[in-house]
Amino acid sequence: MTAGASRATGASGTHENQRGWRGWREAAQDALYGPAGFYRTAPEGPAGHFRTSVHASPLFAGAVARLLCRVDEALGRPASLGFVDMAAGRGELVTGVLAALPADVAARTRAYAVEVADRPDGLDHRIEWSAEPPRGTTGLLFANEWLDNVPVDVAEVDGSGLVRRVLIRDDGTERLGEPVAGAEAEWLARWWPLTGEEGLRAEIGLPRDVAWARAVAALDAGLAVAADYAHTVGTRPPFGTLTGFREGRETPPVPDGSCDITAHVALDACAAAGKRAPGRTLPDALSRPQREVLRALGITGARPPLALASSDPTAYVRALASASEAAELTTAGGLGDFRWLLQPVGSLDAEALLVDVPDDEEE
């Protein structure tokens, strides 16, 4: 049972929606992305309600820029290099990436921010704003904490051992509805099998698989990356992960537009779907903890030598602050536990992009 939500009993009916009952996927879709949804109306954007790697430090945008440069090199430095920022918020990541790119790479980069909210005032004119990723891009598509906000339905085992859809009202009251069937039941059997124990829950990640496959299919060549809190088939949480965030604090997930609604991602299922992106069969994706990927991209969190405090105190203070930010991005038990899914498109070798060596522009 979702923390903070109450339960109304009874079987599902033909006109559930007319009585205010609907599945979590539909309810969260309206609450997040509808006309009065959380992501459309919060003037401060996601940054006002939860802290992502993007908001934690500009080092994160610098690391993504470094990855884009490596993708650029692996692709033979194309005349037009794409960078697609999925779920761009108010454009913080794409703005930081453009600022961190070497001048010659920035000159060839076409930057895209994909977001349902309106374009923010004052955004860099080089950034194209749209609700869907551009098709036919060559370069890097980056989805930081996007998939966890793709709404999904929730299933729960009832007292007889049957897996049913969880229904929700806008005030957060829940009840059990119809049995899960069809493609959703097949997804659960493959990716999140539930035993007959009453109360066990699962988030049905099929919509995220579809969304990720479509995003990957938008690339003609390059790399698609999803970074999110995630779990795999061997480590699924027994009662799910659905929760809400408001003003920097975790809160019960109430689908009334007042809070973010999120759930961790079955990233292994997304990886399988991305490999079968429409119209192609792609190489296997890599999955790595954020701390490993960022260290390979030059973020170590190492403290500056103490001698620097005497020779250049100002530089020492700056380096110490940078080390603190790097530690936040890479620490276990926090942002460092994010999983990065790296899906190569074309002949690109994703493993080679994570070799921990200095890049040409850093030498």
Side-chain angles (χ1 to χ4, degrees):
M1 194 68 196
T2 300
S6 59
R7 165 70 58 79
T9 59
S12 62
T14 306
H15 305 293
E16 299 285 7
N17 199 289
Q18 295 178 13
R19 296 200 297 269
W21 296 103
R22 49 185 176 167
W24 262 108
R25 182 186 179 192
E26 181 184 351
Q29 183 71 32
D30 283 349
L32 295 178
Y33 306 114
F38 177 81
Y39 278 100
R40 291 187 182 274
T41 59
E44 69 283 351
H49 297 272
F50 52 90
R51 185 174 175 85
T52 73
S53 298
V54 177
H55 309 124
S57 171
L59 293 174
F60 188 80
V64 175
R66 192 170 294 112
L67 179 60
L68 178 59
C69 289
R70 294 185 184 184
V71 169
D72 179 47
E73 185 68 27
L75 293 172
R77 301 190 178 186
S80 178
L81 177 68
F83 176 69
V84 182
D85 180 9
M86 298 293 297
R90 297 302 181 262
E92 297 95 335
L93 177 60
V94 64
T95 298
V97 168
L98 284 176
L101 288 174
D104 65 311
V105 179
R108 291 184 287 107
T109 298
R110 291 193 65 178
Y112 305 90
V114 181
E115 178 59 65
V116 297
D118 293 337
R119 181 188 181 97
D121 294 335
L123 189 70
D124 192 318
H125 68 88
R126 294 174 294 173
I127 300 170
E128 300 183 37
W129 194 268
S130 67
E132 297 289 338
R135 311 293 297 185
T137 302
T138 295
L140 175 63
L141 179 144
F142 200 91
N144 186 66
E145 295 197 51
W146 168 51
L147 289 173
D148 68 316
N149 285 130
V150 174
V152 294
D153 275 315
V154 179
E156 183 174 325
V157 180
D158 71 8
S160 65
L162 192 62
V163 179
R164 294 183 177 273
R165 188 182 310 277
V166 176
L167 303 179
I168 184 77
R169 298 177 72 171
D170 288 353
D171 64 0
T173 306
E174 286 186 337
R175 62 173 287 179
L176 298 186
E178 70 282 2
V180 177
E184 292 181 329
E186 294 174 5
W187 189 93
L188 285 175
R190 170 66 181 87
W191 294 108
W192 199 327
L194 292 169
T195 67
E197 183 180 345
E198 183 179 5
L200 293 182
R201 288 169 67 119
E203 290 118 20
I204 307 172
L206 187 58
R208 293 170 174 178
D209 296 356
V210 173
W212 178 242
R214 288 176 177 168
V216 172
L219 285 177
D220 273 357
L223 183 70
V225 177
D228 247 307
Y229 281 124
H231 43 64
T232 60
V233 71
T235 61
R236 305 286 189 229
F239 304 106
T241 61
L242 191 71
T243 191
F245 284 92
R246 183 190 297 115
E247 297 178 352
R249 296 182 179 180
E250 192 167 7
T251 183
V254 179
D256 60 1
S258 68
C259 66
D260 180 39
I261 298 173
T262 179
H264 294 188
V265 182
L267 210 55
D268 47 352
C270 292
K275 184 177 178 181
R276 303 188 306 273
R280 64 184 84 181
T281 299
L282 301 176
D284 290 338
L286 298 179
S287 179
R288 299 285 188 272
Q290 173 161 298
R291 56 184 173 273
E292 291 183 11
V293 178
L294 292 185
R295 285 167 185 159
L297 293 172
I299 297 181
T300 65
R303 293 172 63 91
L306 190 58
L308 185 62
S310 298
S311 62
D312 192 339
T314 301
Y316 178 78
V317 170
R318 286 198 301 264
L320 197 61
S322 179
S324 177
E325 293 174 3
E328 181 179 1
L329 292 171
T330 58
T331 188
L335 295 173
D337 287 346
F338 267 64
R339 298 292 298 190
W340 283 38
L341 178 65
L342 300 97
Q343 176 62 66
V345 177
S347 59
L348 186 143
D349 182 352
E351 191 80 58
L353 298 173
L354 301 183
V355 175
D356 189 7
V357 295
D359 297 297
D360 290 341
E361 66 269 17
E362 297 176 330
E363 295 179 340

